[in-house]
Amino acid sequence: VQLQASGGGLVRAGDSLRLSCLASERTFSNFSDTGMGWFRQAPGKDREFVAAIPASGAFSSVGAAVKGRFFISRDNAKNAVYLQMNNLKPEDTAVYYCAVSRIRHVQTHPKFYDFWGQGTLVTVSS
């Protein structure tokens, strides 16, 4: 497994969750030179951009639907990227995927990502 996402679960509206994604050192010896992103896909819907962070970690980009509630961060020393999700809503229910891009800068389209994790399910009840 190259990317391992975790932290999903069943929560109530208004709760918080923190997703983690760990990248294998064997595959990503240059993790600090990669862009990272989170996407989500709800049943019957297209994959949706959630958040992205460049190699430097100096700033981030988040999707309009989660702006002000979700925050992405990374720890290059641990080959990890995180997604802090606050004030969750039922419409946030989806499988969440982390992804790695060889491009150092922020990318919001999934076509620019080269490796994907297996996904972690987040279910938000009303």
Side-chain angles (χ1 to χ4, degrees):
V1 177
Q2 297 177 328
L3 288 174
Q4 183 70 44
S6 62
L10 173 62
V11 297
R12 295 183 178 181
D15 286 350
S16 298
L17 275 178
R18 188 191 193 210
L19 304 184
S20 299
C21 179
L22 299 181
S24 166
E25 289 189 23
R26 182 180 304 174
T27 306
F28 300 108
S29 58
N30 62 336
F31 181 81
S32 61
D33 289 332
T34 63
M36 298 292 298
W38 286 97
F39 293 79
R40 67 186 183 185
Q41 189 164 19
K45 295 188 176 181
D46 292 335
R47 191 161 294 191
E48 176 187 16
F49 169 72
V50 176
I53 189 166
S56 67
F59 62 95
S60 63
S61 176
V62 295
V66 304
K67 194 170 186 177
R69 301 187 296 121
F70 289 16
F71 303 90
I72 186 173
S73 62
R74 66 187 294 162
D75 185 341
N76 288 342
K78 296 182 179 180
N79 278 19
V81 63
Y82 307 100
L83 183 68
Q84 177 66 41
M85 306 186 294
N86 300 326
N87 189 23
L88 283 159
K89 303 176 180 180
E91 52 263 42
D92 294 320
T93 295
V95 177
Y96 284 72
Y97 298 90
C98 62
V100 176
S101 172
R102 293 191 178 97
I103 303 172
R104 294 172 54 88
H105 310 296
V106 163
Q107 302 295 331
T108 61
H109 197 287
K111 70 179 181 180
F112 293 113
Y113 287 83
D114 304 289
F115 300 97
W116 293 80
Q118 85 287 1
T120 184
L121 176 62
V122 173
T123 304
V124 185
S125 63
S126 57

